[in-house]
Amino acid sequence: VQLQASGGGLVQAGGSLRLACAASGGTFSRYGMGWFRQAPGKEREFVAAIGRNGRITYGDSVKGRFTISRENAKKTVYLQMDSLKPEDTAVYFCAAHSRAILTGIYDYTDIKMFDIWGQGTLVTVSS
């Protein structure tokens, strides 16, 4: 399975971007999917996740501004980012938890839950 993230770019504060992460190979509908980000000099930070059962979790810093969704038919997970702030500037990574079971309850804020990673896409928010 490979993950390909896209949609990053330069945007002014208050603006919006939508990231997409497309999977190739594997059975996408069975995966828990997540987004993480990493700013220069900082650790990778949890942003949002959506389980194979549709359960959604957000990081505290993005609640109310970001929306995660998935389209299994297209093997794609999205991250709609609104009301962007300069502190949202980072490389955004998508990741998959390929061993998720339908009835499982997982802590997707834990980076160790994810075993497949895509390359990052850079988001820059100017003030």
Side-chain angles (χ1 to χ4, degrees):
V1 176
Q2 290 187 324
L3 303 176
Q4 180 75 38
S6 61
L10 174 63
V11 63
Q12 287 189 332
S16 297
L17 280 176
R18 188 174 83 150
L19 305 184
C21 175
S24 59
T27 308
F28 179 81
S29 62
R30 295 182 180 178
Y31 301 159
M33 298 297 299
W35 288 96
F36 287 75
R37 67 186 182 187
Q38 189 165 19
K42 294 188 176 182
E43 293 187 351
R44 199 164 291 191
E45 174 191 20
F46 171 75
V47 175
I50 183 166
R52 62 175 288 187
N53 57 8
R55 181 173 179 262
I56 289 174
T57 308
Y58 293 104
D60 289 341
S61 61
V62 306
K63 281 180 182 176
R65 300 187 299 121
F66 291 11
T67 304
I68 189 170
S69 61
R70 65 189 298 161
E71 194 168 354
N72 288 339
K74 293 186 176 181
K75 295 187 175 182
T76 302
V77 61
Y78 303 97
L79 185 69
Q80 177 66 40
M81 306 186 295
D82 299 317
S83 303
L84 282 162
K85 305 174 182 180
E87 50 264 43
D88 294 318
T89 295
V91 177
Y92 284 71
F93 298 88
C94 63
H97 174 212
S98 67
R99 296 179 176 84
I101 62 173
L102 186 60
T103 56
I105 299 175
Y106 303 101
D107 178 9
Y108 282 141
T109 66
D110 184 353
I111 195 170
K112 296 188 295 295
M113 291 301 305
F114 296 91
D115 56 312
I116 301 171
W117 290 83
Q119 94 297 350
T121 185
L122 176 63
V123 172
T124 304
V125 184
S126 63
S127 56

